[in-house]
Amino acid sequence: MGSLDAENEKEMISGFQTVEPIVYVNGVRRVLPDGMAHLTLLEYLRDIGLTGTKLGCGEGGCGACTVMISYFDPTLKKCVHNAVNACLAPLYSVEGMHVITVEGIGSRRNGLHPIQESLAMSHGSQCGFCTPGFIMSMYTLLRSSKQPPTKEEIEENLAGNLCRCTGYRPIVDAFSVFSRRNDALYTNGSSSLLEGEFICPSTGKPCSCGQNLKGDEGVCTDNRFKQISYNDVDGAFYAEKELIFPPELQLRKTTSLSLKGTYGLKWYRPLNLQAVLDIKGKYPNAKLVVGNTEVGVETRLKNFHYDVLIHVAHVPELNVLAAKDEGLEIGAAVKLSGLESALKVLVDQRPCSQISSCRAILEQLKWFAGTQIRNVASVGGNICTASPISDLNPLWMAAGAKFQISNCKGKTRICPAEKFFLGYRKVDLAGDEILISVFIPWCQPYEFMKEFKQAHRRDDDIAIVNAGMRVRIEVMDSKWVVSDASVVYGGVAPYSISANKTREFLIGKVWDKDLLEGALKVLVKDVALKEDAPGGMVDFRRSLILSFFFKFFLWICQQMGGQLFTVPKSHLSAIQSFHHPSVKGNQDYDIVKQGSAVGNPEVHLSSKLQVTGEAEYTDDIPLPPNGLHAALILSKKPHARILSVDDAEAKLTPGIAGIFYARHVPGDNLTGAVVSDEEFFATKKATCVGQVIGVAVGDTRENAKRAAQKVQIEYEELPAILTIKDAIQSNSFHPNTEKSISKGDVDGCLLSDQCDKIIEGEVQVGGQEHFYLEPQSTLIWTADGGNEVHMISSTQAPQKHQKYVAHVLGLPLSKVVCKTKRIGGGFGGKETKSAFLAAIAAIPSYLLNCPVKITLDRDVDMMITGQRHSFLGKYKVGFTNDGKVLALDLEIFSNGGNSLDLSLGVLERAIFHSDNVYEIPNLRIKGKVCFTNLPSNTAFRGFGGPQGMVIAENWIQRIAMEIGKSPEEIREINFQKEGSILHYGQQLEHFNLERLWNELKVSCNFLSVKKEVECFNRENRWKKRGISIVPTKFGISFTVKHMNQAGALVQVYTDGTVLVTHGGVEMGQGLHTKVAQVAASCFNIPLSSVFISETSTDKVPNASPTAASASSDLYGAAVLDACQQIKARMEPIAQKNNFSSFAELTNACYLERIDLSAHGFFITPDIGFDWNSGKGNPFKYFTVGAAFAEVEIDTLTGDFHTRQADVILDLGFSINPAIDIGQIEGAFVQGLGWVALEELKWGDSAHRWIAPGSLFTCGPGTYKLPSINDIPFKFNVSLLKEAPNPKAIHSSKAVGEPPFFLAACVFFAIKDAIIAARAEEGLTEWFPLDNPATPERIRMACIDRFTRTFVDDPHFRPNISI
C-alpha cells in the first residue's frame, strides 16, 4: 500500500517509495489504506468512532472540529504541537503524525484532564457541541507553550472557536486558571502556589479547602463539589500523564507518498522540489496544497473537483525562512504561524529602521483567521489564491516584495509582487510553474510601512477593505520630501491594486497638509469603485479608502516625532493602536436553598460528558450497515414553474439507492406548523431558492450529495417578491394574518393640543441566523417489518417530528416514535424546520425499509431553514415637551417568507411587546405578515418580542433628541408601574422594574461613567464613546393557550435512585439539571441520585415544543406533581419506621407493593387572550431586567468594541443561579450579534450582485457571530435579590429569552457615540440607524469630510435585507 499499483507503475514519478502510511490517533497506531485521499481527517476520525470531534461548519470557521497534531521537526529537533481544523485537513496530510482528539486527553471513566475539569466546573459548557473544540485549542496551547500563557494569549488563541450558548465569559474564567498567574494546576497538579494559595482540583480556582483533602487524592471535600454518584465514575480524578509522542514516529523517516481517492483523485506527497516540478510537469492542472484551507472549501462547499493534489508541506526548498543582508526570504510553503513566530524574533533583533514592513505584516497576521488556520495555511497558498480581499497581498506589494517562480524544467524567474496579480483569482503563473519563495527587502532609514484592515468582525474575519502603505522620506532643502511610496488596496477591485497615480503624486512632495489634501483628491479617481461592484457597501468601501490614507498620513507624522507636521492631540485617536484587555466578569446573586438541591448553583448534569466528547448527539450515532445518507434536491430559483426534472445522470452515481419526489409520498405532501401551506416536495412551482424538490439517498453522504447535484431541473421564471417593501407594494401578505390592538383614542389625542410634538418614522430591523453549532440532523428507521417508524432527532419539538412523519407516511401517531437525548443548540430553529427535514428523510427510509440519516451542511442549513424575522415598523408618536408619551400609532410588518410557519405567533408577540416598559395612554398597533419568495422564517429566541421592543426604543431615543434630554430620562418618566394596565388588558403584578433600574444605575456608576465619556469625547476627534441603559419586560407563557401544558414520568427504584422523563428537550439551557434539582429537593435526596436520560414521545405524549422560556416552569411543575404523588404514597410507610436512607424507604415501599411510578401533569392557570376583544392575560407573569453598556467606536472605520456591560434581571428565587447567569450571558452576547454584527444578505433589490433570492451569508466565512474578542471587556451580571415570584415553581422566573433584548443597550450606546461624532460636524438632529449596527452603518452615520465625498445625506441608510 501507499505506492501506485502495478497497473499504474509506468506513471510512477521518480523518487516515490513504497511505504505503509500510518498515523497515530490518541496513542494508537493506525494504518491508512490507499483510496482515502478524498477524506478529511474529521471524516476519518468520526468513521472510526471518535465522534467527540464535531462537524460544525466544514470550512474551518467555527473550531468545533479542532484537534491537536504533533510531529517531530528534525530541524528544531523537537516535537511540534499544532491545533488544526480537522474538517479541512486532508487525511493523508497527517501521515506520520500523532493526532490527539478530546477523547485522548481524559474521560469520565479514566479521569478528566484538568482543562476538562475546570471548564465543566466553571459552567463553561451549555449545549456542549463546541466544547471539545475549545478543550483542544486550550490543550494544544498548553502543550506547545514553553511557559504558561498569559490570559491575553489564551483569549487570542481561542479566537478561532465559536460558541453560541455561553457568551464566552465562563470559558475565559475556566481557562484563565492555567494562565501565567495560576499555572500550578497544570504543571504540578493540586499543589500550593508560591503565594500560599491553593488551587482546588474540583473548581480549578484558588480556594481555602486545602486542609480538607482526603489523603493524597487531591479531591476537595467542599460539599458543593462532592459527588455522590450511582452511575458515573467520579470525574474529579484525572491522569497526570499526557500522551507521549510515539517513539516510532520520532525515529521514522518521512517518505514520499502517492495515493488515491474516489472519482479518480490522485494525491502526492513529494519530499523535494524536483519531485514537485516533475508532478507539475506531468499534471499542469494539479493543485498544490499545504493547509488545504482554500481547496478544502472549494471542493466541499463550491463543488470544485481537482484530479491531482500535491501536498508540498514537506518540501525543504519551499520551507526556507532566512534573514539575509538584503532582506527576508520566505518559502512558499511556510505556514503563517511559522512566519508570525519568525517575524516576532526579527522585530526584536533587527534595527528598527529595517523592520517597518515586517512589523506591518506581523500586525496584520494578528487579525488573519484563527489559530487553527494560521497553523496550516501557507504563505504561497494565500498568495496564489489571489483573493481580492487577501490581507497579505497588499502588504507584499507595498513592501516591494519579489516572488521567485520556477517551471517544471527548473528555470526560475523573478516577478515583482505588484505585477503578479492579473485579475480575479488570476496570477502570473503558467500551468507548469510554481511559486518558490517571497523576498521582502529590509526597509531603509525613514521608510515606514503600515497595514490597514476593516472587517465585519475584528478577529478571524475576511476584510471588507484592507491596505498596505509605504513611504520613504528624506530631507531636501531642509524639508521632508517623499522619495518613494506605495499605496495598495484590497477589497476594492477584482484583485489587490496599486494606486499608481497616487504614488506618482506623492513622490517629490513635501509631507504636509497640502500633500494630504492633494492625495485624497487623487485617490478618489485613482481607486474608483463602480456602483454595482460585487460585495456591495460601495460608499462605505470608498470612504475607507480615504480614511485609511488619512490614518496613514497621521501615523507617519507621529513616527517622525513632530518633525513633519504637529498632529493635534485630539487627532491622535485616529492612530492609537487597539489593545484588547483580558475579559473580566462579576456574577452577583443570592443562593436561596429549598430542599437538597433547588437553589444550588449546580453544574450542568452533562457537563463532564460534554468536556470529554462523550456526550452523544444525533450525527454521532453510527449508521447501521444497511443505512443510507440523504441529500436534498433544492430549487435554484426564487419563484418559478417547474417544467421538468431530469435525474437520469444522477441515478448512475455510484452508491445511489434511490431518488424520491412528491409522487413517492405515501401520505400527504402538504404540511404546515399552523396552516397547511407548505409542500414537503415542490410539485408545480418553486416559491423560494432552497425549496425541497426531491431527496437522493446513497451509501455515503458524498455520493448522495453528488447525485442531488446532478439532477437537472428546467424552470420558467416568475416575478419574485424578495423584501417587505416589495410585499407592501404588491399587497403580498399571508392570508388571515392581519392583527391589531388598540387602547384609548389615538387619533383624537394626536389631533388635539395635548401633544406638543409629533414624530413619524420608520425602523428597519434585520433578521438573524440561529447558527446552532450542531446542524440539523435526524436518523430514522423502520421497525417490525416496516410497521413502526423510530427516529432520533436534533429537535426542540419531538412531538412535531412524530406528527410530521406520521402525516407524510400516512401512519397513526402511535406507530411513530421520536427520541432526543440532547441537541447542540436550537434557539427556535429546531422547532418546525427540523420536523420538516425528518419527514423528508422518512420517505426513503419507509419505502426502502432501511435506516436513513440526514445531516445538513452548514450552508444548506442556513439557506433553507429560515431565520429570525426581519421587521419594518412605521410609527407616529405624540408627546409633551417634557417627554411624556401620550399616543402611539404603530404599523409593523414581518417578513414571513414563502409559508406561514410560526410567523403569526411571532407577529402577535411583537404586538404584545411593542410598548416595552412604557405607559402609553393612547395606543394602536397593527401588524401584517408579508409573503415573500424567501425560505420561510421561523421561531428564534424572543419570538418577535425583541423586534417589537427595539422599534419602541428607537422612538424613545428619537424623542430624547427632539427635546434635548437623555434617553434615560425619557425612559424613566414613561415607566409602567405596579398595577399598570397594558394595552391588551393585563395588569402588572410584582413589577420590580424601578427598583432594578435604580440598582443598576448605582452598580454601573452611571453618572460618573457618563462624565468620563463626555470628557473622552471632548478630547478625541476620531474615536468616540457612548453609553446607554435599556430596560425590558418579557411575557412568560406560550401565547397559544393550549400549549401551556406539560407532562412528566417519574420512576423511583429500589436503590433510591430516580429516573425522570419529561416532555422538554435539553439544548444547553440546563432544563434537565433544573428539573432534576426539583425532583431531588422533593425527595430530599442528592442531585446525583436523579437521572434524566432522554426525551421520548413514547414516554410523555403530546408535549409542547421546548420554547417560550416556559419549560422550567412547565416541566418542573409537572415533575413536582409526579414526585408529590409518589411521596404521598410513601408517606404511610415512612411514618412507620425511621429509615436511615431514601434507598431503605423505597425498598420498604416496594415490599409493601407501593406504586413508585407516577405521571405528573401541569397546566398554566389563569391565562388566555381573545383577539376579537383585544383583551386578556396572555402571560402568567413577566421577567424584567435592564442593562448598561459603554462602547467605543472608530469614526473613521466603523469599528467598535464594548468596554463594559452590566446586566441585572429579576429571576425571583433562582432554581439554579449559575445556570441562569449562563443563560443571561449567552443571550446577551447572542443579542449583541443581532444588534451589531450579524447581517443577513439576500439577493434582493438592495444586493443585486447576489443571485435573486439566494443567501450570500451562508456560513461563518460571510456571516459573523460574536467571537470571544467581541464580548464586553467588563461583563457584570447580577440577579435581583429578595424578589420571590409567587406565580412559578419555587418562586423562580423564566430566563431563556428575556435577557436577549438587553443587548440593545450596546446598539443605543453605539448610537450615542455616533451622536457625539456628528456633533463635531455640527449635526445635532435625529438620524436613522438600522440594526445590525455594522461597521458600515456606524461609519456612514459618522458623517465627515471623507463620507461627504460620496454621500451628502445626513439621513443616509446603507442597504439592508429585510
Side-chain angles (χ1 to χ4, degrees), residues 358-526:
C358 293
R359 194 186 301 276
I361 295 169
L362 182 59
E363 288 297 315
Q364 196 75 308
L365 284 171
K366 286 183 180 178
W367 316 114
F368 190 109
T371 303
Q372 297 93 321
I373 295 293
R374 292 199 301 272
N375 282 338
V376 296
S378 67
V379 171
N382 183 258
I383 291 171
C384 294
T385 297
S387 168
I389 49 175
S390 164
D391 288 339
L392 295 181
N393 288 346
L395 300 182
W396 304 131
M397 294 168 67
K402 296 178 180 179
F403 297 159
Q404 183 185 2
I405 297 165
S406 177
N407 66 12
C408 61
K409 296 179 181 179
K411 184 179 179 180
T412 62
R413 64 184 177 94
I414 302 297
C415 179
E418 62 181 355
K419 294 184 179 180
F420 185 71
F421 305 101
L422 306 178
Y424 180 71
R425 305 278 181 174
K426 293 181 180 179
V427 295
D428 184 17
L429 277 181
D432 65 343
E433 288 184 319
I434 68 169
L435 177 65
I436 302 296
S437 64
V438 179
F439 182 82
I440 312 173
W442 302 125
C443 289
Q444 303 298 313
Y446 299 109
E447 185 173 20
F448 306 98
M449 183 166 143
K450 185 66 176 168
E451 81 296 335
F452 298 93
K453 175 180 178 178
Q454 184 56 48
H456 289 95
R457 184 178 69 199
R458 180 180 299 278
D459 286 280
D460 189 14
D461 193 4
I462 55 177
I464 298 169
V465 177
N466 51 30
M469 300 184 191
R470 178 183 56 84
V471 68
R472 186 165 70 244
I473 55 178
E474 58 185 50
V475 176
M476 294 181 64
D477 298 328
S478 71
K479 294 183 178 179
W480 289 99
V481 176
V482 178
S483 61
D484 191 19
S486 182
V487 178
V488 186
Y489 287 96
V492 296
Y495 54 97
S496 301
I497 60 168
S498 293
N500 291 323
K501 292 180 180 178
T502 306
R503 177 181 181 274
E504 293 170 3
F505 172 84
L506 292 174
I507 293 176
K509 299 286 195 306
V510 176
W511 194 268
D512 58 14
K513 285 186 179 180
D514 291 339
L515 175 142
L516 172 64
E517 298 302 326
L520 290 173
K521 290 177 182 177
V522 175
L523 262 177
V524 171
K525 296 180 180 179
D526 196 8

Side-chain angles (χ1 to χ4, degrees), residues 112 770 781 788 813 1157:
L112 272 63
H770 303 87
W781 67 95
E788 302 173 28
L813 290 170
S1157 175

Side-chain angles (χ1 to χ4, degrees), residues 858-902:
R858 177 62 61 183
D859 58 335
V860 174
D861 195 320
M862 292 182 70
M863 181 172 66
I864 74 172
T865 59
Q867 287 92 17
R868 181 185 299 278
H869 291 69
S870 55
F871 267 65
L872 173 66
K874 299 184 177 184
Y875 63 81
K876 186 175 184 180
V877 183
F879 53 96
T880 68
N881 288 328
D882 292 332
K884 182 67 178 173
V885 178
L886 299 179
L888 167 66
D889 194 2
L890 176 65
E891 195 170 12
I892 56 177
F893 302 88
S894 72
N895 191 332
N898 72 329
S899 69
L900 185 59
D901 195 75
L902 300 174

Side-chain angles (χ1 to χ4, degrees), residues 15 241 261 264 519:
K241 291 183 179 179

